[in-house]
Amino acid sequence: YYRFTPHMEGSYSFVATHPESGESIEDSVEVVPGVGQPFHNYNYYPWHSTATVGDELWVANVYSPTISRLSRVDLAQLGTIEVGGWPVSLAQVPNQEMVLVANKASDTIGFVDIREGRQVDAVWVGDAPAGVVVNSDGSKAYVSLSGSDQVAVVDIATRQLVAQIDAVYDPLALTLSSDGSELFVASHRSGQTIQFPYDSRDIEDEKDIAIIDTNALETTGYILEASSTINDLFFNDGELWMVGTANDIEGGLNDEDVYSFMHEVVVLEPTAGEAKRLRSADLTRQDSSTGHAVTLQNMAVCDGLVWVTAESSDVTIALRSEERRVGKECRSRW
């Protein structure tokens, strides 16, 4: 499919002429600037909306169709790049001067040329792309489609949509296994089996994490009942790390004996079937906690520590056990 992804305002005209008859058809479009146009939807959450690009930190601005370029030395703003509507996730392509951006409102993956400093192409992938990851050789991008409960696969060299794979309800976080043969895709809001005061759901209905064979491009199994809300996944040394919120809905919010909401970092076995927890920590209640850690978001590993943002507590936490806590002045989504 031919496509046109303008970012400069103005009038554009397209003319096609039949090679034999000489008959022509013409179509025109008027492009208005995207920056400053109102667009808002509370369900458009960012996921891994930053990327390290050389000496710069790039940030997808979510509420504006732009990426900010910041200095990694002092976070000074170096410029902006116009992209599609509601950019929510970034991933740099290994060994290429290219960054991919999930444009959630535009239903596209944008290709941003680092040297040119602009989005040079955008490929339609499906309904509401929420997150994007790239395999280690830079050949394929995997995109969670929150609007259609699928994962899109994009060939980066040809810039073409290869497949749309049925996954889980409202997919968000994705992570590849160490060898890239499996893709784990988490439902953002899957719920849980206990539906008190109503009848419990069958555990087979609680497909929290889909396991996709990246060679066959098909879902081979599910991890069941991992958590109620899952905000991030990270594959690390053969283990599947997850941050999410679990809850006991039979207890009241002020019942000291019942943990109504548990904001956890959990390590799972990366195998299909009922979730097998290897270890976990409720970051509010563990012994090393220095206070509430509510609504855990994305994870990152740096210098042997796992960093986790707690959005509703305005802090960022470094974990081996909890070693350090950094206050933030605004809601944190990494």
Side-chain angles (χ1 to χ4, degrees):
Y1 296 92
Y2 293 101
R3 54 188 173 266
F4 176 55
T5 55
H7 291 289
M8 293 185 65
E9 62 181 298
S11 299
Y12 294 80
S13 182
F14 300 87
V15 179
T17 302
H18 193 282
E20 296 177 359
S21 68
E23 183 181 358
S24 295
I25 58 173
E26 182 175 353
D27 195 11
S28 299
V29 294
E30 186 74 23
V31 176
V32 299
V35 178
Q37 297 294 330
F39 188 92
H40 188 71
N41 186 313
Y42 286 112
N43 291 323
Y44 282 9
Y45 300 104
W47 181 81
H48 286 250
S49 55
T50 64
T52 299
V53 181
D55 294 329
E56 298 179 5
L57 177 68
W58 286 20
V59 182
N61 289 321
V62 187
Y63 285 99
S64 171
T66 58
I67 294 172
S68 288
R69 296 172 45 233
L70 307 176
S71 166
R72 291 175 60 192
V73 176
D74 57 7
L75 296 183
Q77 181 140 335
L78 304 176
T80 59
I81 300 170
E82 290 191 33
V83 291
W86 216 282
V88 291
S89 184
L90 298 177
Q92 185 170 6
V93 181
N95 305 314
Q96 297 185 36
E97 294 294 308
M98 190 71 66
V99 171
L100 303 185
V101 53
N103 298 317
K104 198 165 189 179
S106 300
D107 294 339
T108 63
I109 287 295
F111 287 73
V112 181
D113 188 295
I114 295 172
R115 288 167 296 192
E116 293 188 28
R118 67 185 183 93
Q119 179 175 288
V120 295
D121 202 352
V123 177
W124 179 88
V125 290
D127 192 9
V132 56
V133 296
V134 177
N135 62 2
S136 60
D137 66 6
S139 63
K140 294 289 190 299
Y142 301 94
V143 186
S144 53
L145 301 175
S146 60
S148 61
D149 304 341
Q150 295 175 309
V151 169
V153 183
V154 175
D155 185 290
I156 292 175
T158 62
R159 300 182 188 174
Q160 290 184 331
L161 176 66
V162 174
Q164 292 172 323
I165 306 167
D166 292 338
V168 289
Y169 170 71
D170 188 25
L172 176 65
L174 317 93
T175 188
L176 285 159
S177 61
S178 300
D179 62 3
S181 65
E182 291 184 317
L183 176 73
F184 297 85
V185 187
S187 169
H188 186 206
R189 299 173 289 126
S190 63
Q192 60 188 36
T193 55
I194 299 173
Q195 300 293 305
F196 178 84
Y198 306 103
D199 292 338
S200 295
R201 292 177 180 169
D202 189 288
I203 193 170
E204 293 294 330
D205 295 331
E206 294 303 321
K207 297 180 174 70
D208 284 358
I209 301 171
I211 304 173
I212 294 175
D213 184 318
T214 58
N215 294 311
L217 297 183
E218 62 181 21
T219 298
T220 58
Y222 299 92
I223 298 176
L224 311 176
E225 190 77 330
S227 193
S228 297
T229 302
I230 301 173
N231 291 325
D232 202 10
L233 291 178
F234 176 72
F235 198 89
N236 184 33
D237 291 334
E239 299 175 334
L240 188 61
W241 288 55
M242 174 188 77
V243 292
T245 300
N247 61 307
D248 185 341
I249 60 178
E250 294 190 43
L253 290 174
N254 298 317
D255 189 339
E256 295 182 359
D257 297 325
V258 176
Y259 295 163
S260 298
F261 294 96
M262 293 161 284
H263 303 277
E264 301 177 300
V265 173
V266 181
V267 181
L268 301 167
E269 283 190 9
T271 55
E274 189 169 356
K276 299 178 180 66
R277 290 189 170 210
L278 302 176
R279 53 196 181 277
S280 64
D282 180 337
L283 298 193
T284 293
R285 299 180 178 90
Q286 65 173 339
D287 293 340
S288 61
S289 176
T290 58
H292 288 284
V294 179
T295 317
L296 305 180
Q297 294 294 337
N298 300 152
M299 292 181 288
V301 174
C302 182
D303 294 333
L305 298 177
V306 177
W307 293 82
V308 184
T309 56
E311 179 189 18
S312 298
S313 296
D314 298 335
V315 295
T316 300
I317 302 162
L319 297 170
R320 230 181 322 254
S321 56
E322 184 176 319
E323 294 202 357
R324 200 165 5 139
R325 182 177 284 231
V326 182
K328 305 288 286 183
E329 294 181 354
C330 61
R331 293 283 183 252
S332 304
R333 283 187 181 274
W334 202 333

